[in-house]
Structures are given as C-alpha cells and as structure tokens.
C-alpha cells in the first residue's frame, strides 16, 4: 500500500471512533480516543469452548456481560462454526470481532452478513474501510452514501465520504462534503482538524496551516490529537 493511500485509509476507523465518542457526550477528542481504545482492549483470559451451540451462545453473552470481549468473540465464533447460517449469530459475532480488534476476521464475516442485511450500519462501515484499504474508493463511497439516517451516520457520511473523495484526488467533491461537516454545530473543530489532515495528504501546507489554526481557535484547551497534529506539521514546514 502506498503512503498516501495508507494515510487516507487509517483515518476511517479514527473518524468513526471520534465522531461516535463526541456524539455520546465526550467533551474532547482526547476523551473519544481514550473511550475507543478502552472498548477495543482485548482480554487475556483463557477461553474454554462449550460443547454445544446453545452453550456457546450463552457463554458469549455471559462473557460480554463480564466485559471479556475476547472470550465473547471466541464463544460466538464457536457457535457460528456449529450454525454458520444463523444471521443473529453472525451479527453478534461480527460486532464482538470488531470490538476485539480482529479486523480481518470481522471483514470476512461482514461480507457474509451484508447480502442478508444491507442496512446494518456497522457492516457497511467495515466494508467501506476494507474497500478504502484496498484503494477502491469508489466502492467505499457507495457504501458510505447508503448509510441509514442517524445522528452518527449524518456526520460520518460526509466526513468519510470526503476522505474517499480525497483518495480519488477529487478535491472539489471532498470540499463539497466537508462543507456539510463544518456546518454542523458542535463539530467545527473536528471538521477543521480533518481539513488539515486532507491538506497534508494533498501536500498543501498553506491550507493545512489555516485549517489547524481554525481548529485551535475553536477551543481554549485544544485536544491532544490537534496539538500533536499541529506540532508535527509546523515542525516539518516552519
């Protein structure tokens, strides 16, 4: 994967985590990042696989209640091996794999779920991520644009779409989509931060300067993510 495509692709999961954290009431992007990392932390406990489908399902639910995401993912995977066509098991197993950070396995399961449930937002987002990683930004855009309406998706649709358009070197389309994010009250800092990232990908240092300055001006205590991004940018360009 070339460097530019990697820089675009890696923004997809970070953007989902940040936007989700902000919508759920986090005050800063620092908090959103911390929340996402905590949710994705894998348990190191040993997993004893049950001997029946119902046993695996019940064990998975109990493990998740105990916040042992790794064990829950293992139990759902075992249950699916016994009944691979069960859509409910596939949905739950997919979510546990995502939460446990096992993205290759999650993507493989998402591809099985999608034909049966095209409206599942997390499945669409995961497949959009996979498409972007492969450099197929056209498919990523198609998946993103069909996300069902919700508070989170109404932010992710233009923001992730702008990144996919950036991957296609379509600056006009990226700008059209980012204008929608900037117009959302409470998300101006997030929009300017990503304006800066996109400018860096394009090699437009002046636009990045302006975007990071605008982002910093939205808060008296700029979040860590912004401070790091701006510091690295100005250290390189000044």
């Amino acid at each position: 994967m070339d460097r530019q495509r990697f820089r675009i692709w890696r923004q997809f999961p970070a953007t989902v985590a940040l936007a989700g954290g902000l919508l759920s009431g986090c005050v800063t992007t620092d908090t959103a990042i911390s929340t996402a990392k905590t949710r994705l932390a894998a348990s190191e406990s040993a997993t004893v696989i049950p001997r029946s489908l119902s046993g695996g399902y019940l064990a998975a639910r109990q493990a998740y209640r105990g916040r042992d995401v790794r064990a829950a993912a293992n139990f759902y995977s075992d249950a699916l091996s016994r009944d691979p066509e069960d859509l409910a098991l596939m949905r739950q197993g997919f979510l546990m794999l995502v939460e446990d950070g096992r993205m290759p396995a999650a993507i493989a399961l998402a591809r099985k779920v999608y034909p049966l449930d095209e409206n599942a937002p997390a499945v669409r987002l995961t497949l959009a991520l996979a498409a972007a990683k492969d450099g197929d930004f056209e498919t990523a855009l198609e998946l993103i644009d069909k996300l069902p309406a919700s508070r989170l998706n109404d932010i992710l649709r233009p923001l992730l779409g702008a990144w996919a358009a950036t991957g296609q070197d379509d600056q006009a389309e990226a700008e059209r989509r980012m204008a929608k994010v900037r117009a959302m009250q409470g998300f101006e800092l997030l929009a300017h931060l990503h304006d800066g990232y996109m400018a860096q990908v394009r090699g437009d240092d002046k636009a990045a300067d302006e975007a990071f300055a605008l982002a910093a001006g939205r808060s008296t205590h700029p979040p860590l993510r912004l401070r790091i991004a701006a510091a690295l940018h100005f250290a390189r360009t000044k």
Side-chain angles (χ1 to χ4, degrees), residues 54-108:
S54 59
Y57 174 72
L58 292 173
R61 294 189 61 181
Q62 184 61 35
Y64 189 66
R65 287 196 194 100
R67 300 183 181 180
D68 191 343
V69 177
R70 170 160 293 182
N74 288 341
F75 288 136
Y76 275 121
S77 296
D78 178 71
L80 273 170
S81 72
R82 302 169 191 274
D83 189 356
E85 303 305 318
D86 188 306
L87 181 57
L89 281 178
M90 282 194 279
R91 286 174 179 151
Q92 290 300 317
F94 160 74
L95 292 173
M96 291 302 99
L97 288 169
V98 170
E99 192 160 348
D100 194 38
R102 300 189 219 174
M103 293 312 298
I107 290 167

Side-chain angles (χ1 to χ4, degrees), residues 1-146:
M1 183 186 301
D2 61 71
R3 181 175 178 81
Q4 177 168 323
R5 200 172 85 198
F6 173 74
R7 291 176 69 183
I8 294 169
W9 162 70
R10 72 178 182 177
Q11 287 298 333
F12 276 62
T15 299
V16 174
L18 285 170
L22 289 167
L23 266 182
S24 65
C26 298
V27 177
T28 69
T29 51
D30 297 339
T31 311
I33 294 170
S34 176
T35 300
K37 286 182 177 178
T38 299
R39 288 178 60 83
L40 289 172
S43 165
E44 296 299 329
S45 61
T47 302
V48 178
I49 301 299
R51 296 183 178 181
S52 67
L53 171 62
S54 59
Y57 174 72
L58 292 173
R61 294 189 61 181
Q62 184 61 35
Y64 189 66
R65 287 196 194 100
R67 300 183 181 180
D68 191 343
V69 177
R70 170 160 293 182
N74 288 341
F75 288 136
Y76 275 121
S77 296
D78 178 71
L80 273 170
S81 72
R82 302 169 191 274
D83 189 356
E85 303 305 318
D86 188 306
L87 181 57
L89 281 178
M90 282 194 279
R91 286 174 179 151
Q92 290 300 317
F94 160 74
L95 292 173
M96 291 302 99
L97 288 169
V98 170
E99 192 160 348
D100 194 38
R102 300 189 219 174
M103 293 312 298
I107 290 167
L109 194 50
R111 288 181 174 138
K112 291 184 64 177
V113 174
Y114 183 69
L116 304 173
D117 187 6
E118 293 187 358
N119 292 321
V123 170
R124 277 188 172 276
L125 285 171
T126 298
L127 293 179
L129 167 65
K133 184 177 181 180
D134 292 338
D136 185 358
F137 295 107
E138 182 177 353
T139 296
L141 269 174
E142 290 176 0
L143 289 163
I144 291 163
D145 284 341
K146 293 179 181 178

Side-chain angles (χ1 to χ4, degrees), residues 4 7 197-208 236:
Q4 177 168 323
R7 291 176 69 183
Y197 289 149
M198 290 178 199
Q200 287 181 317
V201 169
R202 298 194 308 269
D204 189 341
D205 290 338
K206 182 179 179 181
R236 182 180 60 83

